[in-house]
Amino acid sequence: MRNTIAVGLISLGLGWSSAAADVSEMIFYPEPDFAEGIFHFNYQGEKNKNYGFMFEKGFDPERIVYVRPAEHRIEKLRDGSLKVSFSNTDRYSYLQRAYRDDFLVSDEKGIVKILLSGGDCKSSSDCVTAENILTVNIPKGYGVRSYQGLDQDLKPLKNPQWQRKGNTYTLTARDVKGACIMMELERLKPGQAPTHPAMASAAAIKPAAKPAAKNEAPLAAPIKGPSEGDLNVAEVETPAHAPQVPREPEPEVRPVAVAAPKVQEPKPQVAVEAPKAEEKPVVRNDAPAAYFRNFQLFENRSVVALNEEGKARLNEWVRQFRAGGYQSVIINAYTDSIPPQRLKHLYATNEILSAARGKVVADYLIAQGIDASRVSVNGKGALDPVASNDTEEGRSKNRRIEFVLR
């Protein structure tokens, strides 16, 4: 699981003193399975200015596959971050390879949620971009369930403007520090036609959210902000509960009447010794696993998506929990010591990240029938390491989910 993400994907560091008629464009080209993608950034501003963009420490510059103009400089700053600078220019562009966890929020039961950023200016606390344009091309085989325009703080934009041509969606946000797109996509079944929600406009936006279709699963609570932003709001945070999986009904056990054997009256002066009860072996149930490493449960390069093997492990864990007659479980989730960098706009600290992972596990256990009142979660972050954080092997051991049974 990668621990770095380009800030250029979530924050575009631009070095202007004032933003006059500047335009920032981002175009996202995902692979058909959302395993990877390409971000294409373009910027146009004032002439003879100095511009640049920055990446988090540890970023691999090989992910930048194209930069124009050719007269640019790449330097490593004291904090370990990477900066690409341009001088005396009014426009530049670059292409960057994106990995799955750079943009994927979740992928569960055919519903894919992605979060894309056009970057935000960082030259001053009050700088804005005249036009921030974000475009995403939806791969074939997917339909759009909902979409939303957000600012750099992931709050709904006040006046988002949308355009759609076929499977291409474009958001234009004016006079903002930064802009993002949140989309919820549905993987189509064979023969199923693509779905597209009605395109929202600033004049058509109403505070009330659009009701879900009869056969459509409702979304979790929308992101709260100064306004609802636009139609068909999609959430940012992990859903409060995973989809409930119906429990198989337990077989009905009926009492069986057993006729008592007739006991003959003992003959006089004859003592009858009662038969010894047959000793039955004690059956001991295996206790559920005390912990799992994160890679045993979660998808590779995903923050909070369970993999199929992880679900199978948790299914067996639930079976042993029930068989052992346990009353409750505390889920303690841990990370290594490296602060979050991928999707840090969603998980600002290790504690928040670990709590999100623990909650995903808790939701799955609840979906398998364990009473929610018997499950609690603690996001421990980097506390209580079981190995050294100086090596990748040690960090991998520290990224874990532990269970405390009662």
Side-chain angles (χ1 to χ4, degrees):
M1 183 177 291
R2 237 170 235 274
N3 290 316
T4 58
I5 179 173
V7 175
L9 301 180
I10 59 176
S11 58
L12 185 60
L14 303 176
W16 63 79
S17 58
S18 63
D22 52 314
V23 179
S24 175
E25 297 179 300
M26 183 281 293
I27 306 173
F28 179 53
Y29 305 93
E31 293 289 336
D33 59 355
F34 288 98
E36 293 188 9
I38 287 289
F39 283 96
H40 188 183
F41 285 88
N42 297 286
Y43 177 78
Q44 180 174 346
E46 296 181 78
K47 292 184 178 180
N48 302 320
K49 292 288 183 179
N50 298 326
Y51 299 99
F53 52 94
M54 297 177 62
F55 301 92
E56 293 282 359
K57 57 184 178 181
F59 173 74
D60 182 3
E62 293 298 320
R63 291 175 62 180
I64 303 174
V65 296
Y66 168 97
V67 182
R68 287 293 182 274
E71 295 77 19
H72 62 276
R73 183 178 63 181
I74 299 179
E75 58 180 325
K76 190 173 184 179
L77 304 183
R78 290 182 177 178
D79 64 357
S81 59
L82 197 71
K83 182 178 181 180
V84 182
S85 304
F86 304 89
S87 60
N88 300 324
T89 183
D90 62 345
R91 66 188 63 195
Y92 66 81
S93 65
Y94 70 96
L95 274 74
Q96 181 179 326
R97 178 175 290 108
Y99 297 116
R100 181 179 176 87
D101 53 355
D102 292 338
F103 52 84
L104 185 72
V105 176
S106 64
D107 184 358
E108 288 287 338
K109 298 187 181 300
I111 305 300
V112 177
K113 296 177 186 177
I114 58 175
L115 179 62
L116 311 171
S117 174
D120 61 284
C121 67
K122 289 187 174 298
S123 61
S124 65
S125 59
D126 58 350
C127 66
V128 296
T129 305
E131 275 194 333
N132 205 315
I133 303 171
L134 292 77
T135 298
V136 55
N137 184 54
I138 309 301
K140 291 183 179 179
Y142 287 86
V144 178
R145 289 166 56 94
S146 63
Y147 60 94
Q148 185 183 24
L150 308 172
D151 65 15
Q152 79 284 354
D153 295 321
L154 301 183
K155 296 180 179 178
L157 292 170
K158 293 183 178 180
N159 295 298
Q161 298 181 8
W162 290 91
Q163 289 184 334
R164 177 175 66 83
K165 289 188 177 181
N167 285 348
T168 300
Y169 283 70
T170 297
L171 166 67
T172 300
R174 291 184 169 84
D175 298 323
V176 295
K177 186 178 180 67
C180 304
I181 290 179
M182 170 68 83
M183 303 194 82
E184 186 179 75
L185 310 175
E186 178 182 17
R187 190 176 291 111
L188 303 178
K189 298 177 181 178
Q192 183 180 356
T195 56
H196 295 284
M199 185 58 63
S201 64
I205 296 171
K206 297 181 180 180
K210 180 180 177 181
K214 184 176 182 180
N215 294 325
E216 182 179 350
L219 296 175
I223 306 166
K224 301 295 183 180
S227 67
E228 289 298 323
D230 71 58
L231 196 62
N232 294 327
V233 177
E235 73 276 20
V236 165
E237 298 183 350
T238 305
H241 294 287
Q244 297 294 314
V245 179
R247 294 176 58 189
E248 295 184 1
E250 297 183 0
E252 182 180 1
V253 180
R254 298 182 179 180
V256 179
V258 180
K262 293 182 179 180
V263 181
Q264 292 183 345
E265 292 292 333
K267 295 181 180 180
Q269 290 89 31
V270 177
V272 178
E273 183 179 355
K276 294 182 179 180
E278 181 182 357
E279 293 185 1
K280 296 183 179 180
V282 178
V283 179
R284 298 186 182 275
N285 294 303
D286 293 334
Y291 70 93
F292 290 111
R293 306 295 187 202
N294 282 357
F295 70 84
Q296 295 177 312
L297 298 179
F298 297 99
E299 287 280 4
N300 186 30
R301 303 197 53 76
S302 177
V303 176
V304 291
L306 294 173
N307 58 37
E308 293 305 316
E309 291 184 3
K311 292 177 183 178
R313 286 187 175 95
L314 292 178
N315 289 340
E316 176 61 18
W317 192 97
V318 169
R319 185 192 68 77
Q320 294 175 345
F321 179 86
R322 289 176 178 161
Y326 298 99
Q327 296 300 311
S328 64
V329 57
I330 300 173
I331 300 174
N332 292 327
Y334 295 89
T335 67
D336 57 31
S337 62
I338 299 177
Q341 296 181 38
R342 296 174 303 106
L343 295 179
K344 66 184 293 185
H345 45 296
L346 293 180
Y347 312 103
T349 67
N350 277 326
E351 289 74 16
I352 295 175
L353 173 60
S354 61
R357 286 177 175 152
K359 189 174 184 303
V360 169
V361 174
D363 288 343
Y364 191 82
L365 299 185
I366 293 169
Q368 306 313 306
I370 295 180
D371 192 332
S373 65
R374 299 185 176 187
V375 183
S376 59
V377 176
N378 293 321
K380 296 284 191 175
L383 294 176
D384 305 324
V386 296
S388 171
N389 280 302
D390 295 334
T391 65
E392 177 53 36
E393 181 181 0
R395 289 191 294 271
S396 176
K397 292 179 179 179
N398 291 331
R399 298 190 292 266
R400 67 197 190 279
I401 300 291
E402 290 188 354
F403 303 94
V404 180
L405 300 176
R406 300 286 174 86

